[in-house]
Amino acid sequence: MMASRNAMLRRVGLVLGLVILAVMPWLLGSYQLRLFTEAVIFSLFAVSYNMLLGYAGLLSFGHAMFFGWGAFSFAVALNHIPGIPLVGALALAVASATVMGLVVGVLLLRVKGTPFALLTLAFNALVFAIGIKWQSVTGGDDGLGVVAPPLHLGLGQINVSSGANLYYFTLLIVGAAIAFAWYFTRTAMGQSVLLIRENEERMRFLGYNTHVSRLILFVLSGALAGLAGAFYAILNAFVSLDAVSIDMTTKVLLMTFIGGTGQFLGPVAGAFFFTYVQNFLSDLTDNWPLIMGALFIAMVLWVPGGLAGLAAKLSRGRSDDDQDGTLAGME
Amino acid sequence: MGEAAVFFLHGLAYAGLLFLVSSGLTLVFGMMNVLNFAHASFYMLGAYFAYSILHYTGNFWLALLISPIILLFIGAFVERYLLRKVHVHGHVHELLLTFGLAYIIQEAVKLLWGTTPQAMPLTGLLADTVNFFGVVYPVYRLFIFCLSALLGLGMALLLFKTRIGIIVRAAVDDNPMVDALGINVPLVFMGVFAVGAALSGFAGVAAGPLLSVFPGMAGAILVDAFVVIVMGGMGSLGGAVLASFIIGELQSFGVLLFPDFSLALIYMLMALVLVLKPEGLFGEKQ
């Protein structure tokens, strides 16, 4: 009885949410819509990050290498392959992020815990160094301009490089990717990663190849981050080394943690929270990272489960099939 | 020949600096299992405090003495009032806390001292050069190397030859037993963290005159120090010595031999070590 009512409420909430998302361009001015689009893109980035941190218990300090790699692959494909369609360039960006995830994953997943975290940081630094030095391809410190071609449909073409069109295009593709990530975490494959986090030895005894499971998750997470990076490039009409920097990794880590790693939508909340608070604070003062850092420490100290954990705590007592809001697996 | 010797000595000086930074990092990690992301920020604070002390007193030795002491107290405070509070939530929260701290220190430094690089001019003996086997070489770089060797030796003696060292190592292995023996274990951990912070302070003071003092100096050395402790083996002092030497020399000769790839060279070497020996050169298998 209770459960079916909850399911009803969820369905109503989902429909209501979709309607609100659909009418956003009428509610917001162009600047606000751009900010909202950015938050949607960062939502995917944070969701992909949380697949590692929340689900597999892998703390990465190098997630920007996939984000930036995707962004640069997208820009390079558009600049060097004449006549490539938009979808083709997006697919190439995702494919190259996937390959990178495979290579980096095979190397890095051999270690766990803190050494893993450190190595992702070092690999991120390596990719950044390549970005600076390989000027002929990446543009070095100058970055690359990105002119997204129009989207070809059967009847005509739509310009998706800015405004409401970009918003809807982002919502469609990025939203689908987030939905896919959600679906993946519900599959047997995704759930097995969760169980590996809790007790790897037992899963091995049960016959799971835990290395392969983790690698698949890692690669998928990298591919989704790459897609987010490509959309970030469209949004800015520009890619700079900022996209692949440690600062970008910092950003996604803060978003994910502030939102909460325990529930799937936590990082989405975190991405929106971070994007809007950063926007607000940077209008007030140049030293906004100081306030952001203090906020972050306060959360680590007093709200260890993030916004999602806080919400769960407030509505405790209701039946809840989501996982607990704590991190495990970093021993 | 002379040029190679100069580059070797340059590498040695940077290795000394790296060891000063990574020894504190590896000490805290080895003893408390906490990866301190703010360690390089402590190093930067050490450099800025030294800069201010030198600016007002003109005495470098005073800076070398007082700046690490200030860091000792900052470290103790951070452990007692921040780190200890999140200990119950596990390693990730401890790590994230130090991460947030690094964020704050970075901005605070910009706010207090500005963003322009500041020079720390040396005077007297330290500003001199010596004739070193036919090579004219600045005294200060040799001084950094000697300082790090001395501190490394002192730390090894303290940990492995004294009663304090026995207590610290025992507290790591069997926390409840040491506690039952009447030793204040939380105090021991606070001490370890504070000493780690003080070591980073020393490194910061030493780095100031060499690299100048600027807000990006924490980020610049953090990744190198992490490479050192991963390559050497997490928590191994001996590994930190060897890896600091390798990275220091590689940095120095890399700039000479492959100017375009010197940065990437370090990470490639690290990846190679990792492929052959995931636990690091002197590390223990997980």
Side-chain angles (χ1 to χ4, degrees), chain A residues 66 69-75 77 88-98 222-223 226-227 229-230:
Chain A
F66 298 114
W69 193 265
F72 272 107
S73 304
F74 178 74
L90 281 174
L92 256 177
V94 172
S96 80
T98 306
L227 182 65

Side-chain angles (χ1 to χ4, degrees), chain B residues 6 9-10 12-14 60-61 122-132 135-148 206 209-210:
Chain B
V6 167
L9 290 176
H10 275 11
L12 222 50
Y14 188 63
F60 178 77
W61 300 103
L122 291 169
T123 49
L125 176 69
L126 289 176
D128 248 341
T129 53
V130 279
N131 199 320
F132 199 68
V135 179
V136 179
Y137 200 76
V139 170
Y140 188 68
R141 286 175 186 260
L142 297 175
F143 166 74
I144 289 182
F145 178 72
C146 294
L147 182 71
S148 75
L210 195 66

Side-chain angles (χ1 to χ4, degrees), chain A residues 107 110 119 121 287 296 304 330, chain B residues 92-93 111 226 274-275 278:
Chain A
L107 275 176
R110 293 152 53 96
L119 284 171
L121 183 83
N287 300 96
F296 179 69
M330 276 283 291
Chain B
V92 177
H93 282 74
L111 211 61
F226 280 165
L274 183 82
V275 169

Side-chain angles (χ1 to χ4, degrees), chain A residues 39-48 51 170-185 224 227 264-265 268 272:
Chain A
V40 173
I41 293 168
F42 277 130
S43 295
L44 175 61
F45 190 29
V47 161
S48 79
M51 291 176 83
T170 306
L171 203 59
L172 189 75
I173 306 286
V174 169
I178 291 176
F180 176 72
W182 179 82
Y183 171 75
F184 179 82
T185 58
L224 293 177
L227 182 65
F264 185 83
L265 288 180
V268 174
F272 272 85

Side-chain angles (χ1 to χ4, degrees), chain B residues 18-259:
Chain B
L18 262 183
F19 176 73
L20 281 180
V21 178
S22 49
S23 61
L25 199 60
T26 216
L27 180 75
V28 169
F29 182 82
M31 298 295 147
M32 302 170 68
N33 212 354
V34 170
L35 181 67
N36 182 11
F37 248 85
H39 193 77
S41 312
F42 289 162
Y43 151 91
M44 179 163 69
L45 278 180
Y48 269 103
F49 288 143
Y51 163 76
S52 287
I53 294 168
L54 189 65
H55 188 77
Y56 288 112
T57 67
N59 189 335
F60 178 77
W61 300 103
L62 205 63
L64 191 64
L65 182 71
I66 293 178
S67 184
I69 293 177
I70 302 175
L71 262 300
L72 190 81
F73 283 105
I74 292 180
F77 175 86
V78 167
E79 202 283 334
R80 174 68 183 80
Y81 292 102
L82 297 173
L83 214 50
R84 201 179 291 179
K85 304 257 188 242
V86 299
H87 182 72
V88 287
H89 299 306
H91 296 315
V92 177
H93 282 74
E94 288 178 320
L95 199 156
L96 289 173
L97 185 101
T98 62
F99 185 71
L101 209 59
Y103 219 66
I104 291 182
I105 293 174
Q106 182 75 30
E107 283 312 306
V109 161
K110 283 186 201 161
L111 211 61
L112 293 173
W113 282 283
T115 50
T116 40
Q118 309 283 357
M120 269 176 73
L122 291 169
T123 49
L125 176 69
L126 289 176
D128 248 341
T129 53
V130 279
N131 199 320
F132 199 68
F133 297 113
V135 179
V136 179
Y137 200 76
V139 170
Y140 188 68
R141 286 175 186 260
L142 297 175
F143 166 74
I144 289 182
F145 178 72
C146 294
L147 182 71
S148 75
L150 228 75
L151 276 172
L153 207 66
M155 202 156 58
L157 284 177
L158 189 72
L159 269 179
F160 297 107
K161 295 285 180 213
T162 66
R163 202 182 139 70
I164 298 173
I166 292 173
I167 291 172
V168 168
R169 283 181 297 137
V172 176
D173 284 338
D174 195 342
N175 194 322
M177 178 59 87
V178 175
D179 190 45
L181 288 172
I183 287 160
N184 189 342
V185 173
L187 192 71
V188 169
F189 282 149
M190 187 170 94
V192 168
F193 195 83
V195 168
L199 277 172
S200 71
F202 264 117
V205 184
L210 195 66
L211 309 169
S212 86
V213 183
F214 58 103
M217 65 188 293
I221 206 151
L222 185 69
V223 177
D224 275 6
F226 280 165
V227 170
V228 165
I229 67 169
V230 171
M231 207 157 100
M234 306 286 297
S236 157
L237 264 185
V241 171
L242 182 62
S244 296
F245 176 74
I246 294 173
I247 299 292
E249 291 301 338
L250 201 65
Q251 278 274 28
S252 184
F253 281 99
V255 171
L256 179 70
L257 301 174
F258 324 94

